[in-house]
Structure formats: C-alpha cells, structure tokens
Amino acid sequence: MRTRTQVGIVGAGPAGLLLSHLLHRAGIESIVLENRSREYVEHRVRAGVLEQAPVDLLKSAGVGARLAREGLVHRGIELRFGGRGHRIDFPSLTGGRCITVYGQQEVVVDLIGARLAAGGQVLFEVADVSIDGIETSAPRIRYTSGSEGHEIVCDVIAGCDGFHGICRQALPDHQRHVFERTYPFAWLGILARAAPSHEELIYAYHERGFALFSMRSPEITRLYLQVAPDEELASWPDERIWEELHTRLETDDGWRLNEGPVLEKGITPMRSYVCEKMQHGRLFLAGDAAHIVPPTGAKGMNLAVADVHVLAQALTELLKSGRRDLADAYSQTCLKRVWRAEHFSWWMTSMLHRFPDDDGFQQRLQRSQLDYTVSSPAAATSLAENYVGLPFE
Ligand code: FAD
Ligand code: DHB
C-alpha cells in the first residue's frame, strides 16, 4: 500500500504530535506513525514541568484549555539543604515569568484529541518503521500494520521518535557529531496518591543523595530519589522509598512529607547527549531523537516543544513558498537553545547530586554554590531565568 503526505512524522510523543498540530494549523498535511498503542502513550509517566514559552505556545495553538484549567502555576521552587528551605522566586527575578506543572502524558492526551478531532492521521501500533531517500526530494517511510506492508512518500520526514528511535541512525556518519556525558547515578521516581505537602517543587541536597518533591494535582505527589545507576527496582520496596524520602527531605522545623499508595514506580538513567547536526537532506530531528538532558531542571519536554516550534515555521516556509532559509538554519537555531539547556541541566545535576568517588572536594564546591545561589540576587536570577526558560524567538 502506498500513500503520500507532505510531512511524515515518526513518533507520537510531545514533539511529533505538536508538530503535526502546528503544521495542520498552517495548512500542511502530515501523518504520525507510532509503534506503541494510544493507551500506552497516554499513560506513560514522564516529565511534569512546562516553561512559560511552551505554555504560551500550547495556549495560542488552541490546545491549552485543559492546561489552563488543570495546570498548577508555580511562582518559585525551593532549594533545600542544611535542614532548611531557601525559596527562589521566579516572577520577581525574571520580569513576571512562571512555570506550570502539568504531566507530559496530559499534553499528549490533549494533542492526540486535537489531531483526531481535526481528522488528522495518527497511526498507533505500527511496526518495522524504516526511512530512506532522505537525500532525495521524495523520502519514504516504510512500516507494517497488521501483516500488511505500507509505504508513505513524503516531501519531508520529521524524526520525533525519541532517544531510542530509528531516525537519528539515518544521518550519514560524517554528519552525525555526538557529544555525550553519562552520570554515576539514576533517578528512582514514584507517583503517589497523596496530597502534596508543600505548594512548590523542592530540590533537596542531602548527604545520602539528591531528592525531588513534585506533584501532578492536589491529590497526586511525584517524588524522585538519586540511586545507583545499576539499581534494581526490586531492591526498593515502598517502605524503603518512603523512609529514604523522609530522610533526604527532612527539615529542622518538623515539616512532614505526606505518604500514600504508590501508583507508579520507575528508574530513569541520567545522560547528556547532543547530536549535531539535527538535519540532513529532507530529514529533520526534533526532541529526544536529537538530544537528551539529565532531568534535574526539567528541560526535556520543553526542548522538544521548542524544536518543533522552530521546525513548524521552517517547514511551512519550505513547503508553501519553497524558501529554504529557515530550514537550512534549523540545526543552528535549535542548538543554541539546546546547549543552554544542556549546560543548565548539567549544572543543576552537578550541584545537587552526591558523586560516589568524591573525597569531599566536590561537596564543598556544591555547598558553596548552593549558599551563593540563595544569597546572591545575581546567582538566584541566573537559576530563575534558566528554569523558567528563554522566550521563543
Ligand atoms: P518521546 O516522548 O520519547 O516520544 C517519542 C515517541 O516515538 C514515543 O512515543 C515512542 O514510542 C515513539 N517511537 C520510538 N521509536 C519508534 C519507532 N521506531 N517507530 C515509531 N515510533 C517510535 N524530562 C523532564 O523534563 N523531567 C522528567 O522528569 C523526565 N522524566 C523522564 C522519564 C523517562 C523514563 C524518560 C524516558 C524521559 C523523561 N524525561 C523527563 C524526558 C522527557 O520526557 C522527554 O524529553 C520528552 O518525552 C521528549 O519528547 P519527544 O517527543 O522528543 O520524545
Ligand atoms: C519533575 C521532573 C523533573 O525532572 C524536575 O526537574 C522537576 C519536576 C516532575 O516530574 O514533576
């Protein structure tokens, strides 16, 4: 079976779905191919923090109604160390900017709903996806659905298939310069049916390792613990997780973390990764397909949104008027923001985690940096500006 579309999109995560939606609004057709089920992608628990610019974009693109109703607007975060909290206030340090706590899977639900309501094609549970012809003017995506083979002939392919996808591998070796760091720890994350015991996120620095307090709604708390990179979930029964969270989040004034039934548990490895370039011929990579940040600082989903904001404009110009300037500048435009987020995520990770081989030197640097960040308006402003994110150009 052979079909045709203007933009073939691999991956129905935030990047692929939002790209399809933005292109539709610009009058460009696309088909999204996803190897998982709709049920699976709508329930996959991942990131939860949206910067100001992605929130504004989702709202202005007509997919922000539920986000506006249910998203939790946060005007600051807490850095917790030495037994007490230190608040970083975003609006006063950034000219009024804030963040919104709204689960990534809710963004995905909203986007799938919008695409399907507009008659868009999002094909779930496809298999054996492959791409070729990216150096020609008619690149192709092949896949199977049921037992049938299909081919889509496209003008452009968007690789939005995440870090373990197939699209990045299609860049020729000489075009693929990779920069990478791994970290000697991972995050164990849980979702618990428990009312959040604090109004804002808490990033806790503790001698037993980093902990993060977050939330999803007035009934659901999201929590993370630094663990060893090769940690097995089986070694972390719920009681051990709660005990460790209480220890690492403890304060001198008797603050208590609310407990509740654990609804979901998972371990996330920590990595920094950038593929330069993000485009070759008629293939454009966006989101995790091109870059990964460690989660400290919550930049992953925000970068995916920022990439497709740039890509939708570039493809609209290319496919409507044949102008190539934005498409040719795509990598360069995105990589500027990507490297800022890479630096911020690496910096937050380095400041807040316990490093296994540290002889005390790094701990002293961390404590000095934390003290400086919460006592110097200049240092606090730098953290706040990066956390709420740069405006979109
Ligand atoms: P994805 O959301 O990964 O979407 C890619 C899609 O492509 C997926 O639906 C996948 O199933 C599909 N796909 C893959 N291969 C194929 C194929 N061959 N054919 C068809 N479809 C394919 N970021 C934060 O900021 N904070 C966090 O707490 C956080 N936690 C995370 C936890 C985990 C376990 C992971 C993996 C990531 C986490 N991230 C977090 C990062 C954030 O979720 C990502 O940056 C974000 O999902 C990027 O969106 P994306 O659309 O680029 O990629
Ligand atoms: C969440 C995840 C993050 O990586 C982060 O820095 C803050 C919050 C979250 O899942 O809520």
Side-chain angles (χ1 to χ4, degrees), residues 73-78 87-91 97-99 101 198-203 387-388:
V73 176
H74 283 198
R75 299 164 61 83
I77 55 164
E78 181 176 310
R87 186 165 182 273
I88 306 285
D89 184 79
F90 294 151
R97 297 167 79 77
C98 296
I99 55 152
V101 176
H198 192 74
E199 306 78 55
E200 293 175 342
L201 273 57
I202 303 167
Y203 288 80
Y387 201 100
V388 301

Side-chain angles (χ1 to χ4, degrees), residues 10-15 33-36 41 44 46-47 104 129 160-162 165-166 224 268 286-288 295 298-301 304:
V10 187
L33 297 171
E34 166 62 49
N35 60 4
R36 301 286 193 162
V41 298
R44 185 165 45 193
R46 284 188 173 174
Q104 175 170 326
V129 177
C160 302
D161 50 347
I166 48 109
Y224 298 94
T268 309
D288 279 16
K299 291 289 168 229
M301 172 169 51

Side-chain angles (χ1 to χ4, degrees), residues 106-392:
E106 306 303 338
V107 175
V108 165
V109 165
D110 296 344
L111 287 167
I112 291 175
R115 285 312 296 123
L116 297 183
Q121 292 198 70
V122 186
L123 310 181
F124 295 99
E125 297 180 79
V126 302
D128 311 317
V129 177
S130 66
I131 62 177
D132 71 40
I134 62 170
E135 289 174 347
T136 72
S137 57
R140 287 171 300 278
I141 308 181
R142 295 200 179 85
Y143 65 98
T144 55
S145 178
S147 55
E148 214 171 81
H150 295 258
E151 181 179 88
I152 307 177
V153 181
C154 317
D155 293 328
V156 165
I157 295 175
C160 302
D161 50 347
F163 188 63
H164 300 288
I166 48 109
C167 289
R168 191 174 62 249
Q169 321 309 330
L171 293 179
D173 283 346
H174 67 278
Q175 288 288 346
R176 190 156 26 110
H177 296 151
V178 167
F179 301 88
E180 188 169 16
R181 286 283 179 281
T182 53
Y183 298 87
F185 34 76
W187 278 15
L188 188 161
I190 63 164
L191 203 62
R193 187 172 302 287
S197 28
H198 192 74
E199 306 78 55
E200 293 175 342
L201 273 57
I202 303 167
Y203 288 80
Y205 173 79
H206 192 273
E207 62 189 23
R208 295 183 59 84
F210 170 72
L212 172 60
F213 166 89
S214 180
M215 65 197 70
R216 287 293 179 270
S217 72
E219 297 84 35
I220 303 286
T221 300
R222 176 88 168 132
L223 296 149
Y224 298 94
L225 282 172
Q226 174 186 350
V227 295
D230 52 357
E231 198 73 68
E232 302 275 349
L233 258 189
S235 335
W236 286 87
D238 296 355
E239 312 74 63
R240 182 176 175 207
I241 295 175
W242 287 115
E243 192 183 315
E244 198 61 33
L245 284 165
H246 283 300
T247 306
R248 296 191 196 178
L249 288 163
E250 187 178 64
T251 57
D252 293 339
D253 65 7
W255 178 87
R256 275 300 280 180
L257 173 67
N258 293 337
E259 285 191 26
V262 174
L263 308 173
E264 206 265 350
K265 247 195 244 197
I267 293 186
T268 309
M270 308 274 277
R271 184 187 272 120
S272 302
Y273 180 102
V274 180
C275 172
E276 295 184 359
K277 307 181 331 189
M278 292 169 59
Q279 171 264 333
H280 179 71
R282 291 282 179 134
L283 171 66
F284 295 77
L285 302 178
D288 279 16
H291 41 70
I292 293 279
V293 287
T296 334
K299 291 289 168 229
M301 172 169 51
N302 292 294
L303 280 181
V305 172
D307 285 352
V308 299
H309 172 63
V310 176
L311 186 53
Q313 288 172 339
L315 295 183
T316 302
E317 199 186 72
L318 180 69
L319 299 175
K320 284 208 150 162
S321 62
R323 282 188 50 204
R324 296 200 53 96
D325 351 357
L326 292 182
D328 288 345
Y330 173 67
S331 275
Q332 210 186 341
T333 307
C334 290
L335 285 169
K336 214 172 150 195
R337 186 185 193 92
V338 167
W339 277 113
R340 180 86 300 280
E342 289 287 345
H343 179 271
F344 178 65
S345 309
W346 164 85
W347 176 76
M348 286 281 279
T349 302
S350 308
M351 177 169 74
L352 289 163
H353 290 74
R354 186 53 56 119
F355 283 74
D357 294 331
D358 183 25
D359 60 1
F361 180 79
Q362 178 126 4
Q363 282 168 52
R364 282 161 180 77
L365 294 182
Q366 289 170 328
R367 191 50 202 260
S368 167
Q369 186 64 31
L370 283 164
D371 285 334
Y372 178 53
T373 302
V374 301
S375 60
S376 151
T381 302
S382 172
L383 189 153
E385 270 178 4
N386 281 281
Y387 201 100
V388 301
L390 303 170
F392 289 162

